[in-house]
Amino acid sequence: MLDAGGGGGISFMASTPVVGAAAGGAAGSTLTGSSQTRFTVDPDQAQKLIDGLNDAIKELNDLRSKSDALGVTQPPGKDPYSGYATVAIRNAAGQSPGGYGWANQEAIKALKTTRDNVQAALNTYRGLDSSGRNTLSSGG
């Protein structure tokens, strides 16, 4: 998505998950869609942005594997309160809407979409830049 409107940069859409409260006042959150925000980046910095997004995705994947371990946590004792606390930990770390695993996955999807949009804009820019140089060098 190239912004040909001047400014010397490439324009891309960043994706952000939109989270709302669960229906009926129930505990937790639900994904209500995604928000798109237009950004512009200097073409010389676009690859650094892509690399940074890839690093963030890797970090979120590492954190997700740690949160998955919480999903199999066993109660520390045999009393009912230990069991309740363990269920709460599993829910907070889990894949159900509102849990960390769920939020983590939504963030990864948004980062990947943004990364892909930046890459597409950079590819388009490079193609236009190359075709412009070819036109100038051929005298046309």
Side-chain angles (χ1 to χ4, degrees), residues 66-83:
K66 291 176 183 176
S67 75
D68 289 345
L70 291 174
V72 295
T73 299
Q74 297 301 313
K78 295 184 185 228
D79 61 289
Y81 300 106
S82 292

Side-chain angles (χ1 to χ4, degrees), residues 32-84:
T32 59
S34 67
S35 171
Q36 297 281 311
T37 305
R38 182 171 297 281
F39 288 92
T40 302
V41 65
D42 184 301
D44 296 334
Q45 299 299 314
Q47 190 59 52
K48 289 181 184 177
L49 176 58
I50 292 167
D51 293 344
L53 291 166
N54 284 330
D55 289 344
I57 291 166
K58 182 185 178 309
E59 183 70 24
L60 284 172
N61 278 321
D62 291 345
L63 291 171
R64 186 181 62 208
S65 67
K66 291 176 183 176
S67 75
D68 289 345
L70 291 174
V72 295
T73 299
Q74 297 301 313
K78 295 184 185 228
D79 61 289
Y81 300 106
S82 292
Y84 297 143

